[in-house]
Amino acid sequence: MSVETAEPLVRFEGVHKFFGENHVLRGIDMTVRRGEVSVVIGPSGSGKSTLLRCVNLLETISAGRIYVGDELIGYREVNGRLHDLNVKQIAAQRREIGMVFQKFNLFGHKTALQNVMEAPVQVKGKSKAEAKARALELLDRVGLADRADFYPAQLSGGQQQRVAIARALAMDPELMLFDEPTSALDPELVGDVLNVMKDLAKTGMTMIVVTHEIGFAREVGDTLTFMDAGVVVESGDPREVIANPQHGRTKEFLSKVL
Amino acid sequence: MSSATTGRTTTSEAGNNRPELIKAVPVRHPGRWVSGVIIVLIAVAVLQSMFTNPNFRWDIVATYIMDTLVVQGVGWTLLLTVLSMVLAIVLAVLLAFMRQSDNPILRWSSWFWVWIFRGTPVYTQLIFWGLISVLYPKIAAGIPAGPELFSFDTKDLINAGVAAVLGLGLNESAYLAEIFRAGLKSVDKGQVEAAEALGMRKSKIMWRIVLPQAMRVIVPPTGNETIGMLKTTSLVLAVPFTLDLTFVTNSLANRTYLPIPLLLVAAIWYLVITSVLMVGQHYIEKYYGKGVDNLSPAPVKAPTLKAPARLQGEDAE
Ligand SMILES: Nc1ncnc2c1ncn2[C@@H]1O[C@H](COP(=O)(O)OP(=O)(O)O)[C@@H](O)[C@H]1O
Ligand SMILES: [Mg+2]
């Protein structure tokens, strides 16, 4: 069951995104296979966040297609015409996709435990007892079983981010998106979060990870994609790309972050 | 080896040296003493005049403060305040949500409501509600140009009390809607995005994620509005509604020709109610400040549960 032969889970086909006149994504073609850890790097403003946000419909794409599994994201295709999904259908698609944000975005008025329980109870209609047992198990998995009753403001950034990962996992997503999950952290807290992500990768979770942690890309990534100015400049085995970048822009970027 | 030769201090040496703590002479604040003395002098003078000046007629205040009519007036004023505020809060939440809706019709309706009810004097609105049964003698519901389902005489449905609550509540809803709107806007967009990413529906996001956090910002000005409302109820004579505290004490004053002690009776009661409302507000603020205000670095209650050991990891490990 090597990743190279697994079926594709996420497919970007000619994806474009405009913000007004600003052409942010300029024809992205990319495939992420089931169980693959796909790391995306690139300079600030190159469209990495936008790419991730299009996958779970926090943004809508302007042209092209994104598929997750067999499902077209954001639209229904009927006789060659695209129809917008209604709110219910959009919510249903999002449920299958977990997202971890740079700024954690934990619910500030809820404890770690309540954060993790919220969606399973409110969205999936799980019983409180069931959701709680599962939430505690997930908090334990990210090393925070003893922080269940803490509010986000009482947790360090690294702890908050690990709770955020547990919260996303509580919905049992088939795909996890990470948008610079360690960029807002003090250096000594980065390792804990990366370790949780590493463990997650080992369970076979499909992950798209936007990060500047080249070490993580080399060690855990199955593919490394370098984006610049809204296009994929090059993509391949992380060790190859890092050791032997083919494009000048990739070389230049890597020399800055390595 | 020693710190002298290496130029370093080892931890054991540094750790054992408890430094001499600073005992600085604090800055003097003569201004505080001077202002304190002046204020105490003024307060004593005012109090003395209040108790020695016979025109205050404290004996009359004592007679009327627990008068049945007055106490009933307090009850009515309180009831009007509470009912109007409840009506206003329910409407304001609705209006604030409508204002944030994707639906332009809802957005515009909300805007229009605020424009009307904030843009005309509450006194005018109270008179209007008092006259509603003249304007519409009958209220009927039915299908336009079809059969009538039910109908009421307006003056049975909207008596003076209902008119007063409608007048005060609808007017207040316009102000509160703006307070609620500001509160909703104060919540970080990331909270909504995180909830959306979890597949939560918009109404759930509003009720469970945004509004509870917005309450921190909403409660203090709403408390302010409630205390304002307490005193605005004195305008209900415009309806006319004649049982509230101000109307009752005014008519007692007219009857006894003793306006000052009866004003004092009213003022004392308003102060008492305001104080009670302030205590209530304190607890509401505390409730909605959870997770943000007065956090101890450790949780107040110890983690209640021992997590089940890494168990039955279906998809884990
Ligand atoms: N909501 C938005 N509205 C308008 N422009 C946006 C928005 N989000 C991102 N952009 C623009 O899109 C470009 C790419 O942004 P982003 O995807 O955040 O890049 P990255 O994550 O690679 O730093 C930037 O020029 C940014 O200003
Ligand atoms: Mg970004």
Side-chain angles (χ1 to χ4, degrees), chain A residues 44-45 47-50 102 179-180 210:
Chain A
S44 176
K48 310 178 298 293
S49 296
T50 305
Q102 183 174 350
D179 190 3
E180 301 200 30
V210 172

Side-chain angles (χ1 to χ4, degrees), chain A residues 19 22 24 43-50 59:
Chain A
F19 285 112
N22 191 0
V24 172
S44 176
S46 55
K48 310 178 298 293
S49 296
T50 305
E59 305 288 354

Side-chain angles (χ1 to χ4, degrees), chain A residues 57-77:
Chain A
L57 289 163
L58 291 177
E59 305 288 354
T60 50
I61 58 178
S62 313
R65 300 277 193 279
I66 300 176
Y67 294 92
V68 174
D70 306 324
E71 277 198 61
L72 177 59
I73 292 295
Y75 302 96
R76 232 162 5 105
E77 197 157 9

Side-chain angles (χ1 to χ4, degrees), chain B residues 238-305:
Chain B
V239 170
F241 182 89
T242 55
L243 298 168
D244 76 293
L245 182 56
T246 292
F247 195 94
V248 167
T249 50
N250 269 347
S251 49
L252 286 174
N254 293 341
R255 203 190 309 156
T256 56
Y257 300 106
L258 291 165
I260 288 173
L262 280 150
L263 277 177
L264 286 172
V265 166
I268 290 169
W269 273 114
Y270 281 118
L271 261 179
V272 168
I273 304 175
T274 301
S275 311
V276 172
L277 292 175
M278 284 167 73
V279 173
Q281 179 179 344
H282 169 80
Y283 285 103
I284 296 174
E285 271 182 36
K286 210 161 139 188
Y287 175 79
Y288 283 109
K290 73 180 179 219
V292 187
D293 299 328
N294 307 321
L295 277 185
S296 45
V300 184
K301 59 178 177 148
T304 42
L305 300 123

Side-chain angles (χ1 to χ4, degrees), chain A residues 46-115:
Chain A
S46 55
K48 310 178 298 293
S49 296
T50 305
L51 187 72
L52 287 191
R53 292 165 61 83
C54 288
V55 178
N56 71 355
L57 289 163
L58 291 177
E59 305 288 354
T60 50
I61 58 178
S62 313
R65 300 277 193 279
I66 300 176
Y67 294 92
V68 174
D70 306 324
E71 277 198 61
L72 177 59
I73 292 295
Y75 302 96
R76 232 162 5 105
E77 197 157 9
V78 183
N79 302 329
R81 275 211 67 173
L82 291 186
H83 296 248
D84 285 330
L85 293 185
N86 63 32
V87 283
K88 211 167 168 180
Q89 294 163 324
I90 289 175
Q93 289 193 336
R94 282 171 169 156
R95 255 165 249 174
E96 304 298 318
I97 303 165
M99 176 129 185
V100 174
F101 300 85
Q102 183 174 350
K103 288 191 319 185
F104 331 132
N105 293 346
L106 288 182
F107 305 135
H109 61 309
K110 292 183 180 291
T111 62
L113 179 65
Q114 290 167 340
N115 263 279

